[in-house]
Amino acid sequence: MTADSREKLARLIIDLDTRPDGQRYLWIPGGLAATNDHAGSFQAEATLSRFDLEREPFYTLILRNVNERLEAEQKIRSLTVETEYLREEISSLVGADEIIGGSEALRKVLADVKEVAVTDATVLILGETGTGKELIAHAIHRSSRRRDRPLIKVNCATMPATLIESELFGHEQGAFTGATKRREGRFALAHGGTIFLDEVGELPLDLQSKLLRVLQEGEFEPVGSSQTRKVDVRVLAATNRDIESAARAGKFREDLYYRLNVFPIQVPPLRERRGDVGPLAAAFAKKFAQRLGRSIEPLSDDCVRRLEAYRWPGNVRELQNIVERAVITSRDGRLNLDRALPESVNAVAAAVVSDSSTVQRVLTAKELEELERNNIIAALKSTEWKVAGENGAAQLLGVKPTTLSSRMKALGIERKR
Ligand SMILES: Nc1ncnc2c1ncn2[C@@H]1O[C@H](COP(=O)(O)OP(=O)(O)O)[C@@H](O)[C@H]1O
Ligand SMILES: [Mg+2]
């Protein structure tokens, strides 16, 4: 037994001696180093007990070799990393990450992805929730030279602020209460690969400086350690918040914002690329029908029109959910949008359709606004976004061009780029 371990035992024996009869045994969960003839040196856990024989104290020490257990734990840790690889492989195999849609706006995003993927640049992916930011991050990693290395994700919004630092950078044993073992952080796990910091706008200010340092020097210290670690990690970050304004207001570190913003990719909301709605809905319908073992007819024009008319505040994620619901409630292979779409949309659709109906349902102000919005967009689409003049949308709608412009502004209608 090593000198260290002997000392430890001596201390424990004193502890035992002071205990009352019947409690003179203890469990030593590890931290003992021992040697024997066949195993060489090994890490041991032990039970130590005292008994008295003719008033003389005797001690029994039972040692158990824990090398095997430690090796198994090591294996599990590296397996966890491999699982990340594996998940990557599986998702690319089944095409779960396929990006669907052919709109001009999406094509522009994909061109950016292709351009930046081959560099090692930090990418900031901006866009409303559900627009596909995470999908874009995966696409960048998959087309990069790091594709065979892990892509490690961290969601800065769902992780408790007190844990983020150790999750990102790891910790030493005993660094804080509950840190019973040394643990690698996600930056270390992502070494050679990519880290995806989702919802980076939620990262607490004090951690922002630590992140800036990794970005600039590739260096950090695990929690409770004074040893600097170096890593080679590409950083992708995403947020649905306007961190530029947050930076100006002092709520997000300005230097970090500039460092992240080297190559921003703006993913447009679904309502600004309505052309993607049909292909996405069709792909989702096929996917869910397959999963449920049902057959679904191709989407009707009417169905696509109704989906295109909706504002999609939850973007592609919402579309996916609604199509899933429509497949579940489908009858005779036809999607059931009446049940799947939010009620206000159906009310608007119904109001448009049933102009001959005698009992007109009263619309709420919001529904009316939605109706006006869709009507203006329809007019603008048919004039290819010509507002004023002969055959302009204003003429079509029977209003002055200035009136139309101010309504467009009020309703947030903009031409898609
Ligand atoms: N263009 C797209 N093609 C196929 N699926 C998409 C597309 N955009 C988003 N999705 C799907 O919509 C859901 C939300 O996308 P996600 O990347 O998580 O959005 P975000 O990170 O912006 O909130 C995911 O299930 C994703 O696979
Ligand atoms: Mg997301």
Side-chain angles (χ1 to χ4, degrees):
M1 186 157 285
T2 61
D4 255 9
S5 301
R6 271 203 302 274
E7 231 168 75
K8 192 166 177 178
L9 276 181
R11 275 198 308 274
L12 291 169
I13 286 174
I14 296 171
D15 179 39
L16 272 194
D17 290 344
T18 59
R19 292 189 185 191
D21 252 357
Q23 287 180 28
R24 288 179 170 168
Y25 55 87
L26 53 85
W27 154 246
I28 308 165
L32 294 176
T35 41
N36 76 3
D37 289 346
H38 16 270
S41 73
F42 61 94
Q43 285 291 312
E45 58 188 18
T47 11
L48 178 66
S49 52
R50 171 185 155 149
F51 62 95
D52 295 326
L53 197 65
E54 296 176 358
R55 302 194 176 193
E56 283 275 347
F58 286 84
Y59 301 91
T60 323
L61 179 67
I62 302 170
L63 288 172
R64 197 153 71 92
N65 184 337
V66 292
N67 276 358
E68 268 172 36
R69 180 168 57 86
L70 293 180
E71 274 161 27
E73 277 174 10
Q74 188 64 40
K75 215 177 260 168
I76 288 172
R77 256 198 300 277
S78 58
L79 263 178
T80 319
V81 180
E82 273 165 31
T83 318
E84 294 280 343
Y85 283 110
L86 208 60
R87 200 178 306 142
E88 277 294 286
E89 273 162 33
I90 291 168
S91 60
S92 57
L93 275 179
V94 299
D97 282 347
E98 200 196 341
I99 299 179
I100 298 155
S103 67
E104 187 67 36
L106 186 65
R107 280 217 295 272
K108 195 172 157 279
V109 168
L110 295 180
D112 283 350
V113 166
K114 204 171 152 206
E115 191 174 56
V116 79
V118 294
T119 74
D120 242 355
T122 303
V123 181
L124 180 62
I125 308 164
L126 300 159
E128 290 177 12
T129 177
T131 47
K133 298 185 294 298
E134 188 165 346
L135 209 57
I136 297 293
H138 277 252
I140 293 174
H141 175 73
R142 266 206 325 275
S143 328
S144 77
R145 66 173 175 87
R146 297 170 180 262
R147 72 175 74 87
D148 297 327
R149 307 285 304 160
L151 168 66
I152 304 284
K153 180 188 161 176
V154 185
N155 190 324
C156 306
T158 53
M159 207 174 282
T162 48
L163 284 185
I164 295 185
E165 182 172 12
S166 101
E167 275 298 325
L168 288 177
F169 304 109
H171 64 246
E172 290 301 316
Q173 181 180 3
F176 48 85
T177 327
T180 51
K181 274 189 223 142
R182 178 175 177 276
R183 190 159 176 261
E184 290 279 46
R186 308 229 182 151
F187 266 98
L189 291 178
H191 183 60
T194 308
I195 199 163
F196 173 47
L197 303 173
D198 203 2
E199 314 280 4
V200 74
E202 314 302 319
L203 195 68
L205 269 171
D206 54 333
L207 282 179
Q208 291 180 12
S209 36
K210 212 163 167 176
L211 175 60
L212 183 65
R213 183 154 160 248
V214 192
L215 282 169
Q216 281 173 337
E217 341 268 348
E219 287 182 357
F220 63 89
E221 279 107 37
V223 179
S225 165
S226 53
Q227 266 199 337
T228 303
R229 300 268 312 251
K230 267 215 168 276
V231 280
D232 164 30
V233 171
R234 187 209 196 148
V235 176
L236 307 176
T239 181
N240 56 17
R241 290 221 315 206
D242 179 3
I243 54 170
E244 188 181 357
S245 313
R248 258 187 269 119
K251 292 188 184 121
F252 193 86
R253 279 190 71 121
E254 215 162 6
D255 43 9
L256 177 61
Y257 168 67
Y258 288 122
R259 190 62 191 71
L260 288 173
N261 202 36
V262 178
F263 195 103
I265 293 184
Q266 184 83 46
V267 189
L270 189 54
R271 66 185 161 279
E272 286 176 17
R273 44 181 167 114
R274 286 178 200 259
D276 291 342
V277 171
L280 280 166
F284 293 150
K286 196 172 147 204
K287 176 174 86 177
F288 292 121
Q290 230 161 36
R291 204 176 280 176
L292 288 167
R294 297 192 178 190
S295 65
I296 293 282
E297 286 176 12
L299 302 192
S300 67
D301 289 350
D302 174 59
C303 183
V304 172
R305 225 175 299 127
R306 276 174 73 182
L307 290 171
E308 278 179 352
Y310 180 50
R311 261 181 75 77
W312 301 112
N315 295 293
V316 183
R317 183 176 293 113
E318 186 184 13
L319 175 61
Q320 195 169 355
N321 291 342
I322 282 176
V323 170
E324 180 174 20
R325 219 178 310 156
V327 171
I328 291 171
T329 56
S330 64
R331 293 275 174 281
D332 310 320
R334 263 188 299 267
L335 288 190
N336 190 346
L337 287 184
D338 294 329
R339 298 234 350 235
L341 274 172
E343 228 166 76
S344 64
V345 185
N346 287 320
V348 171
V352 177
V353 174
S354 68
D355 51 355
S356 62
S357 126
T358 42
V359 236
Q360 174 97 33
R361 184 180 150 315
V362 174
L363 296 181
T364 64
K366 223 173 150 206
E367 290 166 353
L368 197 60
E369 194 182 286
E370 186 68 28
L371 189 60
E372 184 187 6
R373 212 174 168 278
N374 286 332
N375 194 44
I376 291 176
I377 289 173
L380 286 163
K381 266 188 171 171
S382 74
T383 66
E384 294 191 308
W385 291 79
K386 182 174 167 189
V387 174
E390 189 76 11
N391 297 323
Q395 190 187 62
L396 207 61
L397 291 163
V399 298
K400 281 192 288 190
T402 47
T403 310
L404 176 55
S405 295
S406 68
R407 284 314 290 155
M408 283 170 65
K409 208 165 177 185
L411 296 166
I413 301 171
E414 269 175 44
R415 177 166 199 177
K416 337 168 227 180
R417 277 156 295 154

